[in-house]
Amino acid sequence: MILVTGAAGSLGGLVLQRISRRADVVAASRTPELVQAEVPVRRIDFDDPSTLAKGFAGAHVVLLVSAGYGEDDEVIARHQAAIEAAERAGVGHIVYTSLTGSGDHLATALAHRWTERRLMAGRAYWTVLRNGLYAELSIPDARHAAATGRLTGPQGAGKLASVAREDLAAAAAVTLDRPAVHRNKIYELVGDTALGGADIARAVAAATGQQIAYEPIALSELRSELRTSGVPDWQIPMVVSAYANIAAGFLNSTESHLTELLGRAPRPALDVITAALGSYEAGRHGHD
Ligand SMILES: NC(=O)c1ccc[n+]([C@@H]2O[C@H](COP(=O)([O-])OP(=O)(O)OC[C@H]3O[C@@H](n4cnc5c(N)ncnc54)[C@H](OP(=O)(O)O)[C@@H]3O)[C@@H](O)[C@H]2O)c1
């Protein structure tokens, strides 16, 4: 049996869309009622030990979707509890959704690298999917640019090899299909083109027929905006460090196993961004 955690989340949901025709798939979520896939669903919350005791029973392979929302100690405790419970249940192989190697300086890297190390020292086979940053993360900036004619951000002249979330789900599904082939392997999964602010501004301009200027701002300006925006405290260093890493040229590597795993080129990140813009524009006109 293959068990997929985080099944009500975006990535887990997309993985389940791809594998739910198999008879041996079970989904796990903190909120089973929100899971869309037509498969049996169990309640697993890494923060709630009572759901872990039996949650992994009968699973041979687990896709452990990282539960990275919180301070490092919270995320590490969650992942530790989940891995221990899976090991106690006799799970033979854990596939983990981690972070690209070029993201080592990101604030989110610590908990991912801790989890990788824990898996490698553990009893089960492992596969580490080192996911790049989602192309979808650029959609809010692109929408703001479409609305204002200015694309602002503190990424300077830096570029990011972002990747469609749907391609990361497809890669995870490939590993779950034949887990033995992927035992104890690390896969780098980033996009095949690195994009900067000016590239996104040009694409938004082409998609909307407007002039869009890319205007870099300082990291301190972003931090001040975040402080007053209501995002949780732990999220601020994560967002700031993402832009700082792009600006410093640490996230532009396009070295990736994605094409090899998918058997095709990844979906261009600009497609993901401009397609979302199209639906936003259509929605806006629909409301006019
Ligand atoms: N590569 C990137 O750019 C990027 C960006 C943001 C986040 N991430 C990481 O990738 C993960 C998956 O991304 P996503 O797009 O699916 O995010 P998402 O849609 O926000 O989903 C968050 C996921 O975390 C799970 N989760 C949270 N707390 C949990 C807990 N206590 N126990 C068990 N599961 C818990 C949720 O599962 P249920 O709701 O089903 O319980 C859900 O799958 C995130 O959790 C985060 O660690 C990566």
Side-chain angles (χ1 to χ4, degrees), residues 47-202:
D47 293 331
D48 178 353
S50 72
T51 67
L52 293 173
K54 291 192 184 150
F56 294 99
H60 297 110
V61 179
V62 167
L63 175 67
L64 185 72
V65 172
S66 61
Y69 296 96
E71 298 286 355
D72 286 332
D73 56 350
E74 293 162 348
V75 177
I76 287 172
R78 258 178 216 152
H79 290 178
Q80 164 81 323
I83 294 167
E84 268 177 12
E87 286 180 343
R88 268 199 308 275
V91 170
H93 188 151
I94 301 175
V95 178
Y96 173 64
T97 64
S98 187
L99 172 71
T100 176
S102 57
D104 269 345
H105 303 293
L106 290 171
T108 49
L110 178 79
H112 283 298
R113 298 293 175 257
W114 183 92
T115 307
E116 292 181 2
R117 200 170 59 177
R118 172 64 184 79
L119 285 171
M120 290 170 194
R123 291 209 289 272
Y125 292 114
W126 48 266
T127 304
V128 168
L129 303 174
R130 284 192 162 174
N131 290 350
L133 297 190
Y134 301 150
E136 285 80 355
L137 297 178
S138 295
I139 292 172
D141 284 350
R143 285 183 170 163
H144 188 255
T148 63
R150 294 167 63 231
L151 188 109
T152 54
Q155 64 266 52
K159 296 195 173 217
L160 166 67
S162 63
V163 55
R165 192 194 266 117
E166 148 195 330
D167 279 347
L168 297 172
V174 166
T175 63
L176 296 174
D177 198 36
R178 294 170 68 206
V181 174
H182 305 287
R183 277 180 187 164
N184 297 358
K185 294 204 169 145
I186 297 178
Y187 294 115
E188 281 295 333
L189 303 172
V190 295
D192 63 0
T193 308
L195 300 175
D199 301 310
I200 297 174
R202 260 193 305 278

Side-chain angles (χ1 to χ4, degrees), residues 29-68:
S29 174
R30 293 164 304 171
T31 48
E33 65 280 10
L34 297 183
V35 175
Q36 308 270 323
E38 308 256 318
V39 296
V41 188
R42 296 178 178 180
R43 181 162 182 272
I44 292 186
D45 179 343
F46 303 158
D47 293 331
D48 178 353
S50 72
T51 67
L52 293 173
K54 291 192 184 150
F56 294 99
H60 297 110
V61 179
V62 167
L63 175 67
L64 185 72
V65 172
S66 61

